[in-house]
Amino acid sequence: MTSDQHFVIVGGGLAAAKLAEALRANDFAGTVTLISAEEYLPYERPPLSKEHLTGKKSLEEFTVDPSQWYRDHHIDLLLGTEVGAIDTGAKTVTLPDGSTLGYDKLALATGSTPRRLPIPGMDAREVYTLRTIDDSDSLIDLFGSAQRLVIIGAGWIGLEVASAARGAGVEVTIVESAELPLLAALGPEMGRVFADLHRDHGVDLRFGAQVEAITTRDGEPDVAAGVRLTDGTVIEGDAVLVAIGARPNIELAANAGLATDGGVLVDASLATSDPNIVAVGDIADAQHPVLGRRIRVEHWANALNQPAVAAQTMLGKSAFYDRLPYFFTDQYDLGMEYTGYAAIGEYARVVVRGDLAKREFVAFWLDADNRVLAGMNVNIWDVTDRIKELIGQQVDPERLADTSAPL
Ligand SMILES: Cc1cc2nc3c(=O)[nH]c(=O)nc-3n(C[C@H](O)[C@H](O)[C@H](O)COP(=O)(O)OP(=O)(O)OC[C@H]3O[C@@H](n4cnc5c(N)ncnc54)[C@H](O)[C@@H]3O)c2cc1C
C-alpha cells in the first residue's frame, strides 16, 4: 500500500473513529480524512441515556479520542460537514459547498437517526428525541424543570431515559403499542422482567396504546402538553420523548447505487457491492459467518469491533467479522449484558438460571433442538465468555437452569 493513497471515512461516531484508529494501527501511511456531520469529535452514545443523563460522566469521558490524537496521527478532520453524494465512478464524495474530495478507498459509518412519528404535534416544542450529545443535554435541562414526562416507546432508549428521569424525580408515563417492553428484542418472557422493573420504580406503563397526536397547550399551540391515544385517552406531560427506534442512514449509499436492503449490504469482510467501499456500524447489514445469515444490529460493540476488520479489507488484506452480537443496558439497579441472536419467533423457549424475582439470573434462549441461541446475564457478572462458549451448543435445559451445576 503506497503512502499517496487517500482513504475517506464518512461518519463521526464510534465506528468512524475506530476505523481511523485501525488504519493507523495497521501502519497505513496515506492520507485519512474523517468527515462528520456533527460538530463534535466522535463520541460514544450509550452514556447519552445513562451516565451522562444522570450527571455521572461528561462528554470528555466518552469522546473516543481527544483532538491531540487526530493531530498526532495525521487524521484530517472535517467536522460539521455532511457528505451529500458519492460518485463511485469518479471515486469522489461531495461536500456541502459543492466541492468534491477524491478517495482511493471509502468507508461509510453514517449510523442512525431517530424515527419520527407522522402525527400532529411532532414538531412542537418540548418534543424530544435522543441521538446526540445536544439531545442528551436538552433532556438534562428538562429534568431540572419538568414534573411529568411522557415517553412514546418502551425500547432501550425509552426505558433508559425513564430510569434517569425517575432518578431525577420526574413522573414518567411510557406509552407503548406492543403488550410489553422490548418485545421485539427479548420476547415476552424477559419483556415482563423489564415491565416489572419499571413498575417497581413508579413508572406508569400503558401497553397496547396507539398515540394519535401529541397534544399542545391551550393558547400555546406550538408547545407539547402530552399525548392523545386512539381510544381518546389523554395523558398530560410537560414534555414528550419520542423513542420509537432509529432508522439507519443509508440514503447516501443507496443514491450512489450501492446494494441496500434496510441496511447497506456488506459481505463478511464488510465490503459493500462496490469493492472500494466498506460499511460499518449501525448501517452494515453483514453476512455473518457463524450465524450463517445476514444481520444488522444497532449495537455499540459492533461499532467498536467491526472497524478493525473493515480497515484490513480497505488495505487489501483478508479479514472477516465473526463476533457474536453483544449489547448491554443499565436501568436503575439492573445491569445486563446480552450475547447472541434470538429473534422473536425463532426461539422455542427461554430457560432461566438464577433468581428471577431478585433480578439476578442468566436467561438463555434455546431453539427447538435445545441449542443455545443467546444468553443474557442480569446483575451477574463475568459470565459473558462462558455464555459465548455455550452459543450453538445443544444443552440439557434442566441442567442449564440448575445453579448447583457449573455453567
Ligand atoms: C442514547 C443511546 C444509547 C445507546 N445505548 C446503547 C447501549 O447501551 N448498548 C449498545 O450496545 N448500544 C447502544 N446504543 C447504540 C450505539 O450507540 C450505536 O449502535 C452506535 O452509536 C453506532 O455507531 P455508528 O458509528 O455506526 O453510528 P453513529 O454513532 O450514529 O454515528 C454516525 C455519525 O455519522 C454522521 N453522519 C451521518 N450521515 C453523514 C453524512 N452524510 N456525512 C457526514 N457525516 C454523517 C452522524 O452525524 C454521526 O456523527 C445507544 C444509542 C443511543 C443513541
Side-chain angles (χ1 to χ4, degrees):
M1 189 64 56
T2 57
S3 58
D4 56 358
Q5 296 249 322
H6 186 194
F7 285 7
V8 172
I9 302 167
V10 180
L14 178 60
K18 286 286 157 190
L19 194 48
E21 283 184 20
L23 288 172
R24 290 305 187 220
N26 279 282
D27 298 328
F28 174 61
T31 308
V32 177
T33 306
L34 186 154
I35 312 174
S36 173
E38 286 187 77
E39 298 283 354
Y40 301 90
L41 290 171
Y43 55 89
E44 301 187 36
R45 295 183 202 276
L48 301 180
S49 52
K50 306 179 189 69
E51 302 95 321
H52 185 67
L53 206 50
T54 52
K56 294 190 193 109
K57 267 192 185 173
S58 63
L59 176 60
E60 294 69 41
E61 292 173 86
F62 51 92
T63 293
V64 185
D65 292 300
S67 53
Q68 188 62 42
W69 183 88
Y70 293 92
R71 281 196 291 277
D72 289 350
H73 293 83
H74 307 287
I75 308 290
D76 297 336
L77 278 178
L78 298 181
L79 300 181
T81 306
E82 185 170 347
V83 169
I86 304 164
D87 183 334
T88 56
K91 291 174 74 175
T92 59
V93 296
T94 305
L95 303 181
D97 64 2
S99 65
T100 56
L101 191 66
Y103 64 81
D104 293 295
K105 292 284 164 78
L106 177 67
L108 298 178
T110 48
S112 311
T113 302
R115 287 184 195 278
R116 296 170 60 80
L117 277 169
I119 56 170
M122 182 69 213
D123 294 324
R125 282 192 285 134
E126 301 308 329
V127 176
Y128 296 80
T129 55
L130 177 53
R131 186 78 199 171
T132 66
I133 183 72
D134 291 340
D135 297 338
S136 185
D137 285 342
S138 300
L139 285 174
I140 293 171
D141 290 346
L142 176 75
F143 290 174
S145 59
Q147 266 140 38
R148 294 165 308 171
L149 172 65
V150 179
I151 298 178
I152 305 176
W156 299 115
I157 289 180
L159 296 183
E160 288 174 2
V161 173
S163 164
R166 293 298 298 134
V170 178
E171 282 175 32
V172 177
T173 304
I174 300 183
V175 182
E176 164 62 53
S177 58
E179 294 303 325
L180 283 167
L182 302 169
L183 202 55
L186 300 182
E189 301 84 356
M190 290 299 125
R192 267 178 225 118
V193 172
F194 283 87
D196 290 346
L197 173 73
H198 283 267
R199 268 195 210 101
D200 290 353
H201 285 86
V203 175
D204 181 358
L205 294 167
R206 311 281 182 100
F207 294 117
Q210 292 286 346
V211 178
E212 180 178 80
I214 292 172
T215 56
T216 52
R217 290 186 198 163
D218 287 344
E220 286 182 290
D222 60 338
V223 186
V227 299
R228 189 175 63 245
L229 308 182
T230 45
D231 68 1
T233 308
V234 171
I235 301 166
E236 292 181 352
D238 307 309
V240 176
L241 173 77
V242 178
I244 54 166
R247 174 179 64 72
N249 297 321
I250 61 167
E251 296 79 4
L252 199 59
N255 292 341
L258 301 184
T260 60
D261 182 15
V264 179
L265 301 188
V266 291
D267 62 19
S269 78
L270 306 177
T272 66
S273 55
D274 180 323
N276 295 313
I277 306 178
V278 297
V280 285
D282 278 12
I283 59 168
D285 191 357
Q287 190 59 39
H288 197 287
V290 177
L291 300 174
R293 64 191 293 172
R294 205 169 260 298
I295 178 168
R296 187 183 74 76
V297 290
E298 296 170 3
H299 296 168
W300 167 88
N302 235 34
L304 181 76
N305 296 313
Q306 280 187 336
V309 170
Q312 301 270 353
T313 300
M314 292 174 91
L315 294 165
K317 299 178 190 163
S318 166
F320 300 103
Y321 188 73
D322 59 3
R323 282 183 188 247
L324 289 166
Y326 165 90
F327 69 89
F328 58 92
T329 188
D330 295 307
Q331 299 170 31
Y332 312 103
D333 51 359
L334 181 151
M336 79 81 157
E337 299 170 287
Y338 175 106
T339 309
Y341 189 71
I344 192 163
E346 293 181 14
Y347 67 88
R349 61 193 293 192
V350 177
V351 171
V352 174
R353 177 190 170 90
D355 193 332
L356 204 57
K358 275 173 73 185
R359 297 185 192 113
E360 276 179 27
F361 62 90
V362 186
F364 290 95
W365 284 257
L366 308 186
D367 70 9
D369 298 325
N370 289 332
R371 234 173 270 284
V372 178
L373 299 170
M376 173 174 90
N377 47 305
V378 174
N379 287 343
I380 288 182
W381 304 107
D382 301 324
V383 290
T384 306
D385 286 344
R386 189 68 196 114
I387 291 172
K388 270 189 199 151
E389 283 163 19
L390 282 168
I391 286 174
Q393 309 254 4
Q394 204 164 22
V395 293
D396 171 354
E398 272 170 33
R399 203 172 143 73
L400 189 64
D402 180 0
T403 49
S404 65
L407 185 60

